Amino acid sequence: MRVLVTGGAGFIGSATAAALRDAGHDVVAADDLSRGRADMVPDGVPLEVVDVTDAAALEPLLAAGRFDACLHFAALIEVGDSMERPEAYFRTNTAGTAVLLEALLRHDVGRFVFSSTAATYGEPERTPIDEEHPQRPTNPYGESKLMTERMLDWLHARRGLRSASLRYFNAAGAVGRHGERADDHQTHLIPVALMAVTSARPPLKVFGTDWPTPDGTCIRDYIHVADLADAHVRALDALEREGLVRANLGNGRGSSVREVLDAVERVTGRPVPHTDEPRRPGDPAVLIASADRARDVLGWAPTRDLDRIVGDAWAHLTEGVAPA
Ligand code: UFG
């Protein structure tokens, strides 16, 4: 298939572009490079530097591209940032995606794979979280993604657009050159812990040690980016059979912050310098996916555990490349 990958210079988008290429698809990456990096785009995948929320800029790309499908990763992704400037999230993630969808329909691109998020569920009412769990986001980031899921329901019903909304839990790890940014803007636990080990960042702050969990720290479901990429390739195939897919992407297993720090120590051979701090506002205590639907509908099963996730992130940080 001819496939357009928006956000193809970002962490998950670039890893998925490589997996799609390896599966035999003809892939074009689109990215405005506001956060992505041109050197993350896989070899053999052309990069179009374009803002995919700009209809006029998209037009020549779609007219020339004759795409069969679009995988849409380009977005603003920080929960905390979304609390400070919700309007940016609604403009880029919701309105911007509406612009992209309108252009795709105009050019008869009939398949769409969407980067959604566990943040669409909000505070969990039960664990693990299945796809029927109520969706009541507690931040504008999750709301902006949920609004897009709702648009996709209508576009399937009224315009026949086939789509898969993949709700990621905690994306992590690295594959090849595709890893998380290791800079001052990074907020995610694993890269921040690894940078604390190398002294590239100050000691890690553990946000809360009095949560109602066995060791008092928050529990999350970390999923390796290579497993995520594999799920996207499968979702594209599934759209041959299915009109509308909604699936969680997680391991179905939780790890506490302390367990992650233990894994970092096992991998690096060094303890993570850290301080115990108060809770971070907006964090739920436990977020774990039920991954049954992804297994049934996509035939997907993640294969990489926490030590592999941390090990690959460490290889990427220290050597610039993780195992394929
Ligand atoms: N944490 C710390 N110290 C840090 C960073 C994180 O203790 O310096 C803790 C957090 O409190 C949380 C856990 O580590 O308990 C994971 O935090 P992250 O910031 O890595 O990730 P989040 O769980 O907050 O959010 C991530 C994505 C969201 C997505 C969500 C879905 O960033 O986009 O997973 O599960 F919606």
Side-chain angles (χ1 to χ4, degrees):
M1 267 188 247
R2 294 254 322 144
V3 182
L4 178 66
V5 176
T6 79
F11 171 45
I12 309 172
S14 66
T16 302
L20 290 163
R21 176 204 59 193
D22 293 348
H25 294 291
D26 196 356
V27 184
V28 174
D31 201 300
D32 67 359
L33 300 182
S34 59
R35 287 182 173 64
R37 288 199 342 238
D39 63 1
M40 292 258 278
V41 178
D43 296 337
V45 173
L47 169 66
E48 295 282 342
V49 180
V50 61
D51 174 356
V52 297
T53 69
D54 176 344
L58 268 178
E59 195 54 34
L61 172 62
L62 293 181
R66 306 170 62 81
F67 295 107
D68 302 298
C70 174
L71 286 83
H72 182 40
F73 296 89
L76 298 178
I77 61 161
E78 293 295 339
V79 171
D81 182 37
S82 82
M83 297 292 265
E84 301 303 317
R85 43 183 205 122
E87 64 283 5
Y89 283 70
F90 295 123
R91 176 169 48 74
T92 298
N93 294 0
T94 311
T97 302
V99 168
L100 171 65
L101 287 165
E102 194 175 21
L104 293 173
L105 288 170
R106 207 163 46 237
H107 289 276
D108 296 321
V109 182
R111 297 177 186 83
F112 190 73
V113 180
F114 175 56
S115 296
S116 190
T117 169
T120 60
Y121 293 115
E123 188 66 35
E125 292 176 8
R126 56 178 185 268
T127 295
I129 298 173
D130 59 42
E131 289 80 359
E132 306 311 321
H133 186 285
Q135 289 180 291
R136 293 197 201 97
T138 52
N139 53 65
Y141 167 66
E143 190 77 65
S144 72
K145 292 279 183 170
L146 178 58
M147 289 162 86
T148 302
E149 287 199 10
R150 298 238 162 100
M151 292 197 290
L152 292 173
D153 288 341
W154 285 107
L155 292 179
H156 176 246
R158 304 304 307 160
R159 302 284 271 123
L161 179 72
R162 294 168 175 264
S163 67
S165 291
L166 303 179
R167 298 175 186 153
Y168 312 157
F169 281 64
N170 286 61
V175 58
R177 285 184 280 122
H178 316 289
E180 293 194 80
R181 296 155 58 125
D183 58 22
D184 288 346
H185 300 291
Q186 184 56 258
T187 60
H188 289 157
L189 177 64
I190 293 172
V192 170
L194 293 172
M195 285 188 279
V197 165
T198 64
S199 304
R201 288 269 292 257
L204 176 101
K205 294 179 175 169
V206 174
F207 296 136
T209 54
D210 59 350
W211 294 95
T213 59
D215 67 18
T217 64
C218 284
I219 293 177
R220 294 289 181 276
D221 184 337
Y222 296 90
I223 179 78
H224 195 294
V225 65
D227 284 325
L228 287 181
D230 175 41
H232 286 77
V233 175
R234 290 167 185 271
L236 188 57
D237 291 343
L239 291 182
E240 297 294 309
R241 316 179 287 276
E242 313 274 343
L244 202 55
V245 174
R246 302 268 175 267
N248 291 336
L249 298 181
N251 266 306
R253 276 193 307 277
S255 305
S256 72
V257 172
R258 292 224 190 279
E259 286 170 337
V260 170
L261 301 192
D262 289 346
V264 170
E265 183 166 351
R266 277 195 299 279
V267 164
T268 65
R270 288 179 248 167
V272 180
H274 67 274
T275 55
D276 291 347
E277 303 286 335
R279 295 180 179 189
R280 183 171 69 175
D283 271 343
V286 180
L287 276 181
I288 301 174
S290 160
D292 292 353
R293 184 177 297 172
R295 188 193 58 218
D296 294 346
V297 176
L298 307 181
W300 175 74
T303 60
R304 296 159 181 91
D305 65 9
L306 181 64
D307 279 35
R308 174 75 191 268
I309 288 170
V310 173
D312 289 352
W314 179 239
H316 186 267
L317 181 72
T318 53
E319 294 155 36
V321 62

